[in-house]
Amino acid sequence: MLLVLVGRDEAPAWRSAATRRAAYAAAAGGWALLAGSAIAAATYAAVRHAPSPDGPGAPAGPGALGWLAVELAVSTVLLLTPRYPLLAWRLAYLAAVFAPLIPGQNRVDTGYYVLATIAFVVASLRYGLRPSLVMAALMLLPVWLWTGPDWVYPIRLTVGLVILTAALYAVGRWRGDRRALAAQTRQTRQQRERNAVLEERARIAREMHDVVAHRMSMIAVQAETAPYRITGLPGDAQAEFAALSQAAREALTEMRGLLGVLRSTDGDAELVPQPQLGDVPDLVAAARRAGAEVTLAMPDNSKMLSPTVGLTVYRIVQESLSNAGRHAPGARISVVVREEPRYVRIDIRNEPPAAGQRRTDGAGHGLAGMRERVALIGGQLDAGPEADGGFAVRAVLPAGGQP
């Protein structure tokens, strides 16, 4: 009750600037239409000299100008409705209640009820069920006070108001359910993206462990065998090699302890050698056997890339081929890998889906994993749709695996 009578109108949450402009344009158009109708009614009444100023029709003769002035003043509440619907409703409601007391005004002025109904609809959609029930109950007061003497017209208006209130409640519930569903969908999508990033980071960490562990093991072995392979080493050098071997083995132990929590239950599958750049042709061949039309252009792996970069290139090509097969079945795919003195460039593009093939929707988490891999070694990745409807993935990686 207090919100309806003296409460403050909250600022509307416009979905966009275009929505706000459309609402104000509709309000201005409605005001112009109502004002034009009032002017036409007053002009017609003045010309015809209608003799019934207290009837349901337009006022007559000299009272037409007074009625027109009040009508135009009240109709400006339409301009307030988009931003201040409660204030607009209060003004229209007061006009419906007290305007019949002004000499020359109608007891039943349709314009006031139209204004109050429009403001009532907007305020109900914004503030919900309880304020709408209060407004609907108050709107029945002028209906039963000034209409009559029979009960037909008040009953009709009452039934219409009840139906309108029920419809507004249903629309409000529908909008609320849609907002809740959209919020839940957005939260679920964000959670899936976070999970995808965490899973990819764990996978990267496991693969990095395999790469680094091999190098650290080689350091430990070389440090331990150095005194036997190199004759005449002084005692200090032998102690230095022993300390180096011990540090390498301690680093391996600590790293295995930290990475142990990232190992999945099927850890035996992690023991296979990690793929490298030289395995990309086998990957493309497997895609061709699955029915994909793939072209490959890449060097003969003449440059010795770091294992991290080679693994990253392989994973990017692997994920891109998988995404193309899911989202654009039947489309031609081109894979280009170029080696430069300091960088490795990857350009993978698929055409739009072939005619007659249905596009399969997907969560799109593979891009998040690729970005994690590329960011890990200081590279850059750009992925997105092309103008012709295809999709492209382009990456630039440091050849040495460091930013």
Side-chain angles (χ1 to χ4, degrees):
M1 176 69 77
L2 292 178
L3 174 64
V4 173
L5 297 179
V6 297
R8 179 181 177 183
D9 276 349
E10 300 293 337
W14 301 109
R15 287 179 296 179
S16 63
T19 304
R20 175 176 56 82
R21 290 193 296 267
Y24 282 110
W31 177 83
L33 179 62
L34 189 59
S37 301
I39 293 174
T43 303
Y44 177 78
V47 172
R48 294 293 301 273
H49 299 285
S52 179
D54 293 331
L65 294 179
W67 171 83
L68 177 61
V70 176
E71 188 82 12
L72 292 178
V74 176
S75 65
T76 56
V77 302
L78 272 180
L79 302 177
L80 301 174
T81 303
R83 173 60 181 85
Y84 304 103
L86 283 179
L87 177 60
W89 179 86
R90 293 166 192 158
L91 295 175
Y93 177 75
L94 292 176
V97 173
F98 295 107
L101 301 176
I102 303 175
Q105 300 298 310
N106 293 329
R107 293 183 62 188
V108 180
D109 194 308
T110 305
Y112 300 157
Y113 289 98
V114 171
L115 292 171
T117 302
I118 294 174
F120 167 70
V121 170
V122 177
S124 298
L125 292 177
R126 184 175 299 177
Y127 293 102
L129 176 62
R130 290 187 179 180
S132 68
L133 293 178
V134 174
M135 288 186 289
L138 292 175
M139 287 173 66
L140 292 177
L141 177 62
V143 169
W144 286 90
L145 179 63
W146 297 119
T147 58
D150 57 40
W151 288 11
V152 176
Y153 193 66
I155 290 177
R156 287 179 179 176
L157 292 180
T158 301
V159 172
L161 189 59
V162 170
I163 294 175
L164 177 61
T165 304
L168 290 174
Y169 171 72
V171 171
R173 285 293 303 270
W174 175 73
R175 293 175 61 193
D177 292 342
R178 284 196 63 185
R179 285 195 295 266
L181 179 60
Q184 183 64 35
T185 302
R186 183 168 56 254
Q187 182 178 2
T188 302
R189 183 174 63 252
Q190 292 174 351
Q191 184 62 42
R192 286 178 178 174
E193 291 175 354
R194 286 194 292 267
N195 291 342
V197 170
L198 293 176
E199 291 174 2
E200 190 64 22
R201 286 180 178 178
R203 183 180 179 186
I204 293 172
R206 292 192 296 267
E207 293 174 348
M208 289 293 295
H209 166 265
D210 296 337
V211 173
V212 176
H214 172 72
R215 297 298 182 89
M216 294 295 293
S217 298
M218 293 299 297
I219 293 174
V221 170
Q222 289 177 347
E224 285 182 352
T225 59
Y228 304 99
R229 293 182 289 102
I230 305 173
T231 59
L233 285 177
D236 293 341
Q238 294 183 12
E240 188 72 20
F241 277 118
L244 182 60
S245 174
Q246 182 64 25
R249 294 190 177 278
E250 290 177 356
L252 275 173
T253 302
E254 293 174 357
M255 185 171 59
R256 287 179 178 134
L258 291 174
L259 271 295
V261 296
L262 299 176
R263 291 290 185 183
S264 60
T265 55
D266 55 345
D268 293 340
E270 303 285 342
L271 299 178
V272 299
Q274 295 297 336
Q276 294 295 314
L277 180 61
D279 298 309
V280 170
D282 296 335
L283 186 64
V284 171
R288 289 170 179 165
R289 287 193 299 271
E293 186 177 347
V294 188
T295 61
L296 174 64
M298 61 174 290
D300 296 332
N301 201 20
S302 57
K303 180 184 291 186
M304 294 298 295
L305 297 177
S306 70
T308 304
V309 175
L311 177 60
T312 302
V313 173
Y314 181 90
R315 293 302 186 195
I316 291 176
V317 175
Q318 183 184 43
E319 187 64 37
S320 298
L321 292 177
S322 178
N323 287 341
R326 287 196 305 266
H327 303 302
R332 288 192 293 251
I333 309 169
S334 66
V335 179
V336 179
V337 180
R338 296 190 301 270
E339 292 187 24
E340 299 177 358
R342 297 179 56 190
Y343 300 100
V344 178
R345 298 186 181 272
I346 310 167
D347 192 339
I348 307 170
R349 184 184 182 281
N350 63 263
E351 297 180 354
Q357 295 285 348
R358 288 191 59 186
R359 184 184 182 93
T360 304
D361 293 332
H365 301 319
L367 292 177
M370 284 193 283
R371 288 193 175 94
E372 286 294 319
R373 288 183 176 277
V374 172
L376 180 66
I377 59 176
Q380 297 179 352
L381 184 136
D382 182 21
E386 299 282 87
D388 62 352
F391 196 87
V393 176
R394 298 180 178 90
V396 180
L397 311 177
Q402 297 179 353

